[in-house]
Amino acid sequence: MGKYNHSKIESKWQKIWEKDEINKTTEDKKKPKYYCLIEFPYASGEGLHVGHARGYTAMDVVARKKRAEGFNVLYPIGWDAFGLPTENYAIKTGVNPKIITKKNTDNFRKQLKSLGFSFDWSREINTSSPEYYKWTQWIFLQFFKHGLAYKKKMPINWCLSCKIGLANEEVVNGVCERCGGPVEKREKEQWMLAITKYAERLYDDLDKTEFLEKIKIQQRNWIGKSEGAEIAFEIKSKISNLKSENKNEVNVFTTRPDTLFGATYLVLAPEHEIISKLKSQISNFKEVEKYISETAKKKDIDRTAEGKQKTGIELKGIKAINPANKKEIPVFIADYVLAGYGTGAIMAVPAHDERDFAFASQMNADKKSQINADKIEIINVINPYPNSPVVGGIFPTGFHNFDTTTAIDEKTKKILAGNEIWTEFGVLRNSGKFDGMKSEEAIKEITKFVGGELKTTYKLRDWIFSRQRYWGEPIPLIFCELCKKSMENSKLQAPNSKEVPNSKSEIQNQKFNEGEILNPGWVVDEKLPLELPDVKKYEPNDNGESPLADIKEWVNVKCPKCGGPAKRETDTMPNWAGSSWYYLRYADNKNDKEFASMDKLKYWTPVDWYNGGMEHTTLHLLYSRFWHKFLFDIGLVPTDEPYVRRTSHGMILGEGGEKMSKSRGNVINPEDVVKKFGVDAFRLYEMFVGPYDQETSWSTNGVVGMVRFIERVCGLSEKIVDNENEGVNNYLNKTIKKVGEDIENIKFNTAVSSMMMFVNFVYDKNGISKENYKKFLKIFSPFAPHVTEELWAEMGEKESIQKSEWPKYDEIKENENFIVVVQVDGKIRDKFTVDNGLGEDEIKEKALSSEVVLKWVGDKKIKKTIYIKGKLVNIVTI
RNA sequence: GCCCGGGUGGCGGAACUGGUAUACGCGCACGACUUAAAAUCGUGUCCUGUAUGGGAUGCGGGUUCGAUUCCCGCCCCGGGCACCA
């Protein structure tokens, strides 16, 4: 090969590959399948980023290697096309988002093709095309019909500048994740998906996957499982007990029923429903009401701000009974107790819970509302060290002559000073017949004793699935007043029936599915796709509704059930919808009868290896796992988890180690790099830049090094000899093994460096056999597909290098000799080469006869001599 | 606050189950080729000392014949969760 001309080689082979459709896949049942998936890009106007390329290149390397190993590899690509940036651009410019999307995806496609990824372009999908979103809508209807979608009026996070309702997860530190603007609470009717019904399985089934451990941890954190118990506290009124015949109870959720004897008061969330029920018995209800309305006005950020002092107010006139010791305890409301978690009520144990302690201290400092609870009395509930009088810093009441010589750690000191409290498990004290019992056991026993119930609670909330926006999938539901009425009438006859039984009226003869019963008046529109109509203006209207609401002829329809006047839902789906199932569509992207046929899904799914950005490892991953499990439950997909393996690549920072951004002016455009240095050098650098799962910074000089390396590989074609140095074959074997393992273990950077070392070695030995050179080209080809294809052809091969097999490596022969390092007392003093046949004793002897070693040993006595096979001898003196 | 990562030359970073720390690449310096430059090739490049040597993997302890690796206590950086009972 003459001088390495990257652009010539690249355009030549890209054309050939495209013409030959070399990466088109079919369901070849003779071969085992392997499904490689990357997160499909959101085609923004900014174009492709070096961060995209990191993940795509890595999976491209994997795909190419797997093909060479005999797998039928599916490596598809498509577009996540609904989304806010496009919509915001449409609002600003008045250009139809369809047109913007077309332009952006065309640009992305061109860029991706120029990078030589081995995608099967025939399976391309676009979430904003009606052929695709027909099925997104269809799946939503299945959720609805199975009672997993429901409309609920609830306070949502409302972004003032985007004019959009945000999911909890889109609010970061109290501001809008997208625009950074302020967020306030607003009551809105929202479609919800009942993901919480799947919380347990989403949590437990992580064990079945091979996700990176940190990804599993993030998922678990988000789901937030905690095991505890629900315990009922009886509420007593001072005014009159006769008034209420049926007794009032408050259920609390606690993870620490073992500390129940130390519960000195109860706290309810201000939104707790029992408050209005007890209105007449609360003597200070005016004040209480004031507190409640103040809370309601607060933004989440204020309510949860760190270091904020706790507030609350006692409900005077009522008391609760601690079910363990039957003591009367006061009841408070406070905004540190959240309505949406557990039961919205807690038992407070100031001696063993930091928040309760902080609240109690706060209330005691306020003279107007003394808690008649004594922290000292309570602190002795637990003795974590049963055999010691000094109990982890907690001294039993009345115990004065403790041993002051016992070591007291920092935490103990703080506890003694009254600044900290004991929150760990231990052994119970001051707990009646449970004294002496360990926490673990007491949790069960005390729960049983008071008639409570062991329970698991999750932090995960249901998914707000509505957006008051234009650029999304229309929700195919219709509201019909007549159907609502007919259902309400028939409900009286058959309240628990899933389907409404026969009734007199024609309307009431209609069958209703579970979703329709759950959401009276809402009926499904089965005519899909429900296409997004064109509008004149793209921004939400003044009522905060999507612009769809203003198209009267679209909104007003005949009810598909009863033919009466009805209205369409004007909310659209969130961006997460289309991406929750796209990997299924790739298996069968042209099917217009089903979202994908079971046959094809059985062949291709689950996804064997899914790679994406760390930023999607909580939400997108969780949402798509949820959809998949649901589809599995209704028999439409063959597995209960969508992805076997999930990895995430680290971010690539700018040259200075700062995040790449337009404003910093440090954005690296892949196109520029490719133009200057070539695709192969770019790909190689993406893999070499640093440990794959960690963030690292870009260096354009580093790319230059990759060009040099490629040129050296080309140069080897001039160094082909008949009789190569023996060492070359051994080294190659070692390299084949290393590169293969490194790819599997996502250690692409060391895979590249080991190939560099091999090439350096061959230059050193000045020759390589043709056979071995070709093997090297093969293992290099996933990283640098263009130049290796060219060199492969130069070696006289007629078929593409992509069609050839991955080379086998022979286990390396034991080296004939090796270097032994000799240490004296752990310090290296000598090295020598020994023959492989030499035994331990002979090597030790040889080490001991070394002059240098003898000098260092001197007249010290030798205590022992340690030999590590094939590595070193350490002579230890006294 | 809790949970994950990470801290190694001027820089990106290597180091298998505890066994030669600094591989590979970048940069830099010097040399060769050249009228010259670029490219290329070669040599050198952790610190300290003339040197045999000594000291370095965020800091302080420990275990061990031997620790970047294991244990204990801290510090710093990145990410996730966060009044979740």
Side-chain angles (χ1 to χ4, degrees), chain A residues 140 143-153 189-192 477-480 483-484 487-488 491 512-524:
Chain A
F140 172 78
F143 276 109
F144 181 84
K145 289 179 184 174
H146 285 83
L148 290 169
Y150 61 96
K151 201 157 205 192
K152 191 184 176 192
K153 190 160 194 174
E189 285 249 305
Q190 303 284 335
W191 285 105
M192 309 287 293
L477 292 173
I478 292 169
F479 185 77
C480 171
C483 284
K484 185 179 180 187
M487 196 179 304
E488 277 162 359
K491 252 191 180 169
F512 291 100
N513 61 46
E514 212 177 316
E516 288 162 343
I517 293 165
L518 190 67
N519 301 284
W522 287 100
V523 299
V524 301

mmCIF file of all heavy atoms in Angstrom, chain A residues 140 143-153 189-192 477-480 483-484 487-488 491 512-524:
data_model
loop_
_atom_site.group_PDB
_atom_site.id
_atom_site.type_symbol
_atom_site.label_atom_id
_atom_site.label_comp_id
_atom_site.label_asym_id
_atom_site.label_seq_id
_atom_site.Cartn_x
_atom_site.Cartn_y
_atom_site.Cartn_z
ATOM 1 N N PHE A 140 -50.382 1.531 24.762
ATOM 2 C CA PHE A 140 -51.008 2.336 25.818
ATOM 3 C C PHE A 140 -52.438 1.857 26.075
ATOM 4 O O PHE A 140 -52.885 1.748 27.220
ATOM 5 C CB PHE A 140 -51.013 3.826 25.454
ATOM 6 C CG PHE A 140 -51.818 4.646 26.424
ATOM 7 C CD1 PHE A 140 -51.291 4.997 27.659
ATOM 8 C CD2 PHE A 140 -53.128 5.026 26.135
ATOM 9 C CE1 PHE A 140 -52.051 5.722 28.572
ATOM 10 C CE2 PHE A 140 -53.889 5.746 27.047
ATOM 11 C CZ PHE A 140 -53.348 6.093 28.272
ATOM 12 N N PHE A 143 -52.510 -1.069 28.311
ATOM 13 C CA PHE A 143 -52.374 -0.649 29.707
ATOM 14 C C PHE A 143 -53.730 -0.200 30.247
ATOM 15 O O PHE A 143 -54.152 -0.580 31.325
ATOM 16 C CB PHE A 143 -51.386 0.525 29.836
ATOM 17 C CG PHE A 143 -49.949 0.134 29.918
ATOM 18 C CD1 PHE A 143 -49.072 0.377 28.875
ATOM 19 C CD2 PHE A 143 -49.438 -0.464 31.066
ATOM 20 C CE1 PHE A 143 -47.734 0.025 28.957
ATOM 21 C CE2 PHE A 143 -48.094 -0.811 31.162
ATOM 22 C CZ PHE A 143 -47.241 -0.569 30.100
ATOM 23 N N PHE A 144 -54.378 0.627 29.427
ATOM 24 C CA PHE A 144 -55.664 1.178 29.839
ATOM 25 C C PHE A 144 -56.675 0.062 30.079
ATOM 26 O O PHE A 144 -57.320 0.002 31.128
ATOM 27 C CB PHE A 144 -56.167 2.133 28.745
ATOM 28 C CG PHE A 144 -57.487 2.776 29.067
ATOM 29 C CD1 PHE A 144 -57.549 3.922 29.844
ATOM 30 C CD2 PHE A 144 -58.675 2.225 28.599
ATOM 31 C CE1 PHE A 144 -58.764 4.519 30.142
ATOM 32 C CE2 PHE A 144 -59.893 2.807 28.902
ATOM 33 C CZ PHE A 144 -59.949 3.954 29.677
ATOM 34 N N LYS A 145 -56.768 -0.834 29.107
ATOM 35 C CA LYS A 145 -57.767 -1.904 29.212
ATOM 36 C C LYS A 145 -57.509 -2.824 30.398
ATOM 37 O O LYS A 145 -58.422 -3.465 30.896
ATOM 38 C CB LYS A 145 -57.762 -2.737 27.921
ATOM 39 C CG LYS A 145 -58.344 -2.005 26.722
ATOM 40 C CD LYS A 145 -58.270 -2.903 25.497
ATOM 41 C CE LYS A 145 -58.752 -2.184 24.259
ATOM 42 N NZ LYS A 145 -58.538 -3.026 23.064
ATOM 43 N N HIS A 146 -56.270 -2.906 30.807
ATOM 44 C CA HIS A 146 -55.967 -3.760 31.948
ATOM 45 C C HIS A 146 -55.974 -2.988 33.260
ATOM 46 O O HIS A 146 -55.467 -3.476 34.268
ATOM 47 C CB HIS A 146 -54.626 -4.457 31.737
ATOM 48 C CG HIS A 146 -54.725 -5.574 30.749
ATOM 49 N ND1 HIS A 146 -54.655 -5.371 29.392
ATOM 50 C CD2 HIS A 146 -54.935 -6.902 30.914
ATOM 51 C CE1 HIS A 146 -54.792 -6.520 28.760
ATOM 52 N NE2 HIS A 146 -54.966 -7.473 29.667
ATOM 53 N N GLY A 147 -56.504 -1.801 33.208
ATOM 54 C CA GLY A 147 -56.666 -1.044 34.453
ATOM 55 C C GLY A 147 -55.367 -0.496 35.014
ATOM 56 O O GLY A 147 -55.269 -0.203 36.201
ATOM 57 N N LEU A 148 -54.351 -0.342 34.142
ATOM 58 C CA LEU A 148 -53.077 0.192 34.633
ATOM 59 C C LEU A 148 -52.887 1.656 34.252
ATOM 60 O O LEU A 148 -51.854 2.245 34.542
ATOM 61 C CB LEU A 148 -51.915 -0.645 34.105
ATOM 62 C CG LEU A 148 -51.822 -2.052 34.707
ATOM 63 C CD1 LEU A 148 -50.826 -2.896 33.933
ATOM 64 C CD2 LEU A 148 -51.421 -1.983 36.172
ATOM 65 N N ALA A 149 -53.897 2.219 33.561
ATOM 66 C CA ALA A 149 -53.846 3.649 33.253
ATOM 67 C C ALA A 149 -55.068 4.274 33.899
ATOM 68 O O ALA A 149 -56.173 3.738 33.792
ATOM 69 C CB ALA A 149 -53.866 3.881 31.752
ATOM 70 N N TYR A 150 -54.857 5.364 34.577
ATOM 71 C CA TYR A 150 -55.998 6.000 35.227
ATOM 72 C C TYR A 150 -55.803 7.502 35.253
ATOM 73 O O TYR A 150 -54.681 7.998 35.264
ATOM 74 C CB TYR A 150 -56.188 5.462 36.642
ATOM 75 C CG TYR A 150 -55.017 5.687 37.574
ATOM 76 C CD1 TYR A 150 -55.012 6.781 38.433
ATOM 77 C CD2 TYR A 150 -53.929 4.824 37.589
ATOM 78 C CE1 TYR A 150 -53.948 7.001 39.287
ATOM 79 C CE2 TYR A 150 -52.860 5.029 38.441
ATOM 80 C CZ TYR A 150 -52.872 6.112 39.285
ATOM 81 O OH TYR A 150 -51.808 6.336 40.122
ATOM 82 N N LYS A 151 -56.912 8.208 35.238
ATOM 83 C CA LYS A 151 -56.829 9.655 35.263
ATOM 84 C C LYS A 151 -57.040 10.136 36.687
ATOM 85 O O LYS A 151 -57.939 9.662 37.379
ATOM 86 C CB LYS A 151 -57.863 10.288 34.348
ATOM 87 C CG LYS A 151 -57.470 11.704 33.974
ATOM 88 C CD LYS A 151 -58.099 12.185 32.690
ATOM 89 C CE LYS A 151 -57.235 13.276 32.083
ATOM 90 N NZ LYS A 151 -57.855 13.999 30.998
ATOM 91 N N LYS A 152 -56.213 11.042 37.087
ATOM 92 C CA LYS A 152 -56.271 11.453 38.472
ATOM 93 C C LYS A 152 -55.944 12.927 38.576
ATOM 94 O O LYS A 152 -54.996 13.413 37.951
ATOM 95 C CB LYS A 152 -55.230 10.652 39.268
ATOM 96 C CG LYS A 152 -55.363 10.807 40.766
ATOM 97 C CD LYS A 152 -54.254 10.065 41.465
ATOM 98 C CE LYS A 152 -54.311 10.295 42.960
ATOM 99 N NZ LYS A 152 -53.081 9.815 43.606
ATOM 100 N N LYS A 153 -56.747 13.608 39.380
ATOM 101 C CA LYS A 153 -56.441 15.003 39.648
ATOM 102 C C LYS A 153 -55.409 15.010 40.757
ATOM 103 O O LYS A 153 -55.647 14.448 41.832
ATOM 104 C CB LYS A 153 -57.696 15.742 40.091
ATOM 105 C CG LYS A 153 -57.491 17.236 40.158
ATOM 106 C CD LYS A 153 -58.818 17.977 40.124
ATOM 107 C CE LYS A 153 -58.562 19.440 39.842
ATOM 108 N NZ LYS A 153 -59.763 20.209 39.647
ATOM 109 N N GLU A 189 -55.610 17.295 35.965
ATOM 110 C CA GLU A 189 -56.020 15.928 35.674
ATOM 111 C C GLU A 189 -54.956 15.298 34.799
ATOM 112 O O GLU A 189 -54.614 15.850 33.751
ATOM 113 C CB GLU A 189 -57.351 15.942 34.926
ATOM 114 C CG GLU A 189 -58.533 16.245 35.802
ATOM 115 C CD GLU A 189 -59.413 15.015 35.954
ATOM 116 O OE1 GLU A 189 -59.841 14.461 34.927
ATOM 117 O OE2 GLU A 189 -59.648 14.604 37.104
ATOM 118 N N GLN A 190 -54.445 14.191 35.228
ATOM 119 C CA GLN A 190 -53.338 13.586 34.507
ATOM 120 C C GLN A 190 -53.586 12.111 34.278
ATOM 121 O O GLN A 190 -54.106 11.431 35.171
ATOM 122 C CB GLN A 190 -52.047 13.692 35.342
ATOM 123 C CG GLN A 190 -51.662 15.091 35.724
ATOM 124 C CD GLN A 190 -51.054 15.859 34.583
ATOM 125 O OE1 GLN A 190 -50.496 15.263 33.664
ATOM 126 N NE2 GLN A 190 -51.179 17.162 34.619
ATOM 127 N N TRP A 191 -53.163 11.629 33.133
ATOM 128 C CA TRP A 191 -53.136 10.185 32.954
ATOM 129 C C TRP A 191 -51.928 9.617 33.672
ATOM 130 O O TRP A 191 -50.832 10.172 33.588
ATOM 131 C CB TRP A 191 -53.094 9.801 31.456
ATOM 132 C CG TRP A 191 -54.432 9.999 30.839
ATOM 133 C CD1 TRP A 191 -54.818 10.995 30.008
ATOM 134 C CD2 TRP A 191 -55.582 9.178 31.068
ATOM 135 N NE1 TRP A 191 -56.143 10.861 29.686
ATOM 136 C CE2 TRP A 191 -56.640 9.754 30.327
ATOM 137 C CE3 TRP A 191 -55.843 8.019 31.816
ATOM 138 C CZ2 TRP A 191 -57.927 9.207 30.307
ATOM 139 C CZ3 TRP A 191 -57.105 7.483 31.795
ATOM 140 C CH2 TRP A 191 -58.142 8.077 31.057
ATOM 141 N N MET A 192 -52.173 8.546 34.394
ATOM 142 C CA MET A 192 -51.105 7.935 35.179
ATOM 143 C C MET A 192 -50.933 6.492 34.729
ATOM 144 O O MET A 192 -51.906 5.825 34.380
ATOM 145 C CB MET A 192 -51.480 7.905 36.663
ATOM 146 C CG MET A 192 -51.946 9.221 37.261
ATOM 147 S SD MET A 192 -50.610 10.386 37.478
ATOM 148 C CE MET A 192 -49.670 9.562 38.753
ATOM 149 N N LEU A 477 -57.938 8.241 23.551
ATOM 150 C CA LEU A 477 -59.075 8.033 24.437
ATOM 151 C C LEU A 477 -60.076 9.163 24.202
ATOM 152 O O LEU A 477 -59.692 10.279 23.831
ATOM 153 C CB LEU A 477 -58.642 8.043 25.904
ATOM 154 C CG LEU A 477 -57.771 6.876 26.353
ATOM 155 C CD1 LEU A 477 -57.292 7.117 27.772
ATOM 156 C CD2 LEU A 477 -58.515 5.546 26.256
ATOM 157 N N ILE A 478 -61.341 8.815 24.421
ATOM 158 C CA ILE A 478 -62.418 9.767 24.155
ATOM 159 C C ILE A 478 -63.307 9.824 25.389
ATOM 160 O O ILE A 478 -63.600 8.785 25.995
ATOM 161 C CB ILE A 478 -63.220 9.309 22.919
ATOM 162 C CG1 ILE A 478 -62.331 9.432 21.686
ATOM 163 C CG2 ILE A 478 -64.511 10.110 22.770
ATOM 164 C CD1 ILE A 478 -62.884 8.777 20.448
ATOM 165 N N PHE A 479 -63.697 11.044 25.733
ATOM 166 C CA PHE A 479 -64.575 11.173 26.902
ATOM 167 C C PHE A 479 -66.026 11.339 26.461
ATOM 168 O O PHE A 479 -66.361 12.221 25.676
ATOM 169 C CB PHE A 479 -64.161 12.357 27.766
ATOM 170 C CG PHE A 479 -64.952 12.439 29.032
ATOM 171 C CD1 PHE A 479 -64.665 11.573 30.086
ATOM 172 C CD2 PHE A 479 -66.013 13.328 29.162
ATOM 173 C CE1 PHE A 479 -65.415 11.612 31.249
ATOM 174 C CE2 PHE A 479 -66.760 13.367 30.329
ATOM 175 C CZ PHE A 479 -66.463 12.506 31.378
ATOM 176 N N CYS A 480 -66.891 10.476 27.032
ATOM 177 C CA CYS A 480 -68.295 10.486 26.650
ATOM 178 C C CYS A 480 -69.175 10.591 27.887
ATOM 179 O O CYS A 480 -69.163 9.716 28.746
ATOM 180 C CB CYS A 480 -68.624 9.201 25.877
ATOM 181 S SG CYS A 480 -70.386 9.001 25.570
ATOM 182 N N CYS A 483 -71.839 7.723 28.205
ATOM 183 C CA CYS A 483 -71.278 6.452 28.666
ATOM 184 C C CYS A 483 -71.002 6.508 30.164
ATOM 185 O O CYS A 483 -71.170 5.536 30.883
ATOM 186 C CB CYS A 483 -69.999 6.113 27.916
ATOM 187 S SG CYS A 483 -70.308 5.499 26.251
ATOM 188 N N LYS A 484 -70.568 7.674 30.604
ATOM 189 C CA LYS A 484 -70.280 7.827 32.022
ATOM 190 C C LYS A 484 -71.548 7.581 32.834
ATOM 191 O O LYS A 484 -71.542 6.833 33.819
ATOM 192 C CB LYS A 484 -69.746 9.224 32.298
ATOM 193 C CG LYS A 484 -69.318 9.420 33.739
ATOM 194 C CD LYS A 484 -68.774 10.807 34.001
ATOM 195 C CE LYS A 484 -68.360 10.916 35.456
ATOM 196 N NZ LYS A 484 -67.981 12.278 35.807
ATOM 197 N N MET A 487 -72.717 4.043 32.791
ATOM 198 C CA MET A 487 -71.879 3.198 33.631
ATOM 199 C C MET A 487 -72.214 3.392 35.100
ATOM 200 O O MET A 487 -72.291 2.439 35.861
ATOM 201 C CB MET A 487 -70.422 3.529 33.385
ATOM 202 C CG MET A 487 -69.513 2.459 33.914
ATOM 203 S SD MET A 487 -67.836 2.867 33.598
ATOM 204 C CE MET A 487 -67.863 3.092 31.864
ATOM 205 N N GLU A 488 -72.441 4.647 35.482
ATOM 206 C CA GLU A 488 -72.770 4.908 36.879
ATOM 207 C C GLU A 488 -74.072 4.210 37.263
ATOM 208 O O GLU A 488 -74.193 3.680 38.365
ATOM 209 C CB GLU A 488 -72.864 6.413 37.132
ATOM 210 C CG GLU A 488 -71.498 7.008 37.380
ATOM 211 C CD GLU A 488 -71.466 8.522 37.205
ATOM 212 O OE1 GLU A 488 -72.510 9.119 36.869
ATOM 213 O OE2 GLU A 488 -70.403 9.085 37.404
ATOM 214 N N LYS A 491 -73.350 0.487 37.446
ATOM 215 C CA LYS A 491 -72.467 0.186 38.571
ATOM 216 C C LYS A 491 -73.250 -0.177 39.817
ATOM 217 O O LYS A 491 -72.845 -1.016 40.620
ATOM 218 C CB LYS A 491 -71.572 1.379 38.883
ATOM 219 C CG LYS A 491 -70.136 1.152 38.495
ATOM 220 C CD LYS A 491 -69.270 2.231 39.073
ATOM 221 C CE LYS A 491 -67.831 1.990 38.675
ATOM 222 N NZ LYS A 491 -66.991 3.136 38.987
ATOM 223 N N PHE A 512 -67.955 -2.697 28.718
ATOM 224 C CA PHE A 512 -66.894 -1.788 29.129
ATOM 225 C C PHE A 512 -65.697 -2.588 29.607
ATOM 226 O O PHE A 512 -65.858 -3.589 30.308
ATOM 227 C CB PHE A 512 -67.376 -0.865 30.249
ATOM 228 C CG PHE A 512 -68.408 0.116 29.779
ATOM 229 C CD1 PHE A 512 -69.756 -0.092 30.016
ATOM 230 C CD2 PHE A 512 -68.007 1.263 29.095
ATOM 231 C CE1 PHE A 512 -70.699 0.821 29.580
ATOM 232 C CE2 PHE A 512 -68.956 2.187 28.657
ATOM 233 C CZ PHE A 512 -70.303 1.969 28.896
ATOM 234 N N ASN A 513 -64.532 -2.145 29.200
ATOM 235 C CA ASN A 513 -63.336 -2.853 29.682
ATOM 236 C C ASN A 513 -62.907 -2.297 31.033
ATOM 237 O O ASN A 513 -63.457 -1.311 31.528
ATOM 238 C CB ASN A 513 -62.217 -2.785 28.641
ATOM 239 C CG ASN A 513 -61.797 -1.355 28.349
ATOM 240 O OD1 ASN A 513 -61.597 -0.572 29.267
ATOM 241 N ND2 ASN A 513 -61.704 -1.011 27.069
ATOM 242 N N GLU A 514 -61.917 -2.912 31.588
ATOM 243 C CA GLU A 514 -61.484 -2.572 32.943
ATOM 244 C C GLU A 514 -61.083 -1.102 33.080
ATOM 245 O O GLU A 514 -61.412 -0.437 34.052
ATOM 246 C CB GLU A 514 -60.296 -3.459 33.331
ATOM 247 C CG GLU A 514 -60.244 -3.768 34.812
ATOM 248 C CD GLU A 514 -59.088 -4.719 35.123
ATOM 249 O OE1 GLU A 514 -58.901 -5.696 34.373
ATOM 250 O OE2 GLU A 514 -58.384 -4.452 36.109
ATOM 251 N N GLY A 515 -60.405 -0.615 32.055
ATOM 252 C CA GLY A 515 -59.976 0.776 32.085
ATOM 253 C C GLY A 515 -61.148 1.729 32.037
ATOM 254 O O GLY A 515 -61.163 2.771 32.694
ATOM 255 N N GLU A 516 -62.144 1.354 31.259
ATOM 256 C CA GLU A 516 -63.313 2.212 31.135
ATOM 257 C C GLU A 516 -64.120 2.232 32.427
ATOM 258 O O GLU A 516 -64.710 3.248 32.795
ATOM 259 C CB GLU A 516 -64.155 1.740 29.946
ATOM 260 C CG GLU A 516 -63.462 2.073 28.620
ATOM 261 C CD GLU A 516 -63.990 1.291 27.425
ATOM 262 O OE1 GLU A 516 -64.664 0.266 27.622
ATOM 263 O OE2 GLU A 516 -63.708 1.695 26.294
ATOM 264 N N ILE A 517 -64.109 1.106 33.123
ATOM 265 C CA ILE A 517 -64.802 1.058 34.410
ATOM 266 C C ILE A 517 -64.054 1.879 35.455
ATOM 267 O O ILE A 517 -64.623 2.600 36.260
ATOM 268 C CB ILE A 517 -64.973 -0.399 34.873
ATOM 269 C CG1 ILE A 517 -65.926 -1.111 33.915
ATOM 270 C CG2 ILE A 517 -65.502 -0.460 36.306
ATOM 271 C CD1 ILE A 517 -65.907 -2.607 34.017
ATOM 272 N N LEU A 518 -62.747 1.789 35.373
ATOM 273 C CA LEU A 518 -61.901 2.520 36.311
ATOM 274 C C LEU A 518 -61.983 4.030 36.068
ATOM 275 O O LEU A 518 -61.808 4.831 36.989
ATOM 276 C CB LEU A 518 -60.455 2.031 36.142
ATOM 277 C CG LEU A 518 -59.416 2.456 37.153
ATOM 278 C CD1 LEU A 518 -59.728 1.817 38.501
ATOM 279 C CD2 LEU A 518 -58.030 2.004 36.686
ATOM 280 N N ASN A 519 -62.192 4.414 34.823
ATOM 281 C CA ASN A 519 -62.220 5.830 34.448
ATOM 282 C C ASN A 519 -63.557 6.139 33.785
ATOM 283 O O ASN A 519 -63.630 6.261 32.563
ATOM 284 C CB ASN A 519 -61.088 6.131 33.460
ATOM 285 C CG ASN A 519 -59.725 5.816 34.022
ATOM 286 O OD1 ASN A 519 -59.199 6.559 34.841
ATOM 287 N ND2 ASN A 519 -59.153 4.693 33.593
ATOM 288 N N PRO A 520 -64.619 6.274 34.583
ATOM 289 C CA PRO A 520 -65.961 6.389 34.007
ATOM 290 C C PRO A 520 -66.049 7.502 32.969
ATOM 291 O O PRO A 520 -65.630 8.636 33.233
ATOM 292 C CB PRO A 520 -66.841 6.705 35.218
ATOM 293 C CG PRO A 520 -66.074 6.200 36.385
ATOM 294 C CD PRO A 520 -64.640 6.373 36.047
ATOM 295 N N GLY A 521 -66.582 7.165 31.799
ATOM 296 C CA GLY A 521 -66.733 8.153 30.745
ATOM 297 C C GLY A 521 -65.655 8.066 29.697
ATOM 298 O O GLY A 521 -65.854 8.469 28.562
ATOM 299 N N TRP A 522 -64.521 7.556 30.060
ATOM 300 C CA TRP A 522 -63.412 7.454 29.100
ATOM 301 C C TRP A 522 -63.535 6.138 28.347
ATOM 302 O O TRP A 522 -63.626 5.072 28.936
ATOM 303 C CB TRP A 522 -62.065 7.523 29.799
ATOM 304 C CG TRP A 522 -61.765 8.902 30.278
ATOM 305 C CD1 TRP A 522 -61.899 9.379 31.545
ATOM 306 C CD2 TRP A 522 -61.306 9.990 29.484
ATOM 307 N NE1 TRP A 522 -61.550 10.705 31.599
ATOM 308 C CE2 TRP A 522 -61.176 11.107 30.337
ATOM 309 C CE3 TRP A 522 -61.000 10.152 28.126
ATOM 310 C CZ2 TRP A 522 -60.755 12.356 29.887
ATOM 311 C CZ3 TRP A 522 -60.566 11.393 27.674
ATOM 312 C CH2 TRP A 522 -60.456 12.485 28.556
ATOM 313 N N VAL A 523 -63.536 6.246 27.025
ATOM 314 C CA VAL A 523 -63.629 5.033 26.214
ATOM 315 C C VAL A 523 -62.477 5.014 25.210
ATOM 316 O O VAL A 523 -61.909 6.059 24.886
ATOM 317 C CB VAL A 523 -64.985 4.959 25.457
ATOM 318 C CG1 VAL A 523 -66.137 4.929 26.439
ATOM 319 C CG2 VAL A 523 -65.126 6.117 24.479
ATOM 320 N N VAL A 524 -62.144 3.827 24.785
ATOM 321 C CA VAL A 524 -60.980 3.708 23.909
ATOM 322 C C VAL A 524 -61.360 3.988 22.458
ATOM 323 O O VAL A 524 -62.465 3.695 22.024
ATOM 324 C CB VAL A 524 -60.319 2.319 24.008
ATOM 325 C CG1 VAL A 524 -59.880 2.046 25.429
ATOM 326 C CG2 VAL A 524 -61.255 1.222 23.530
#
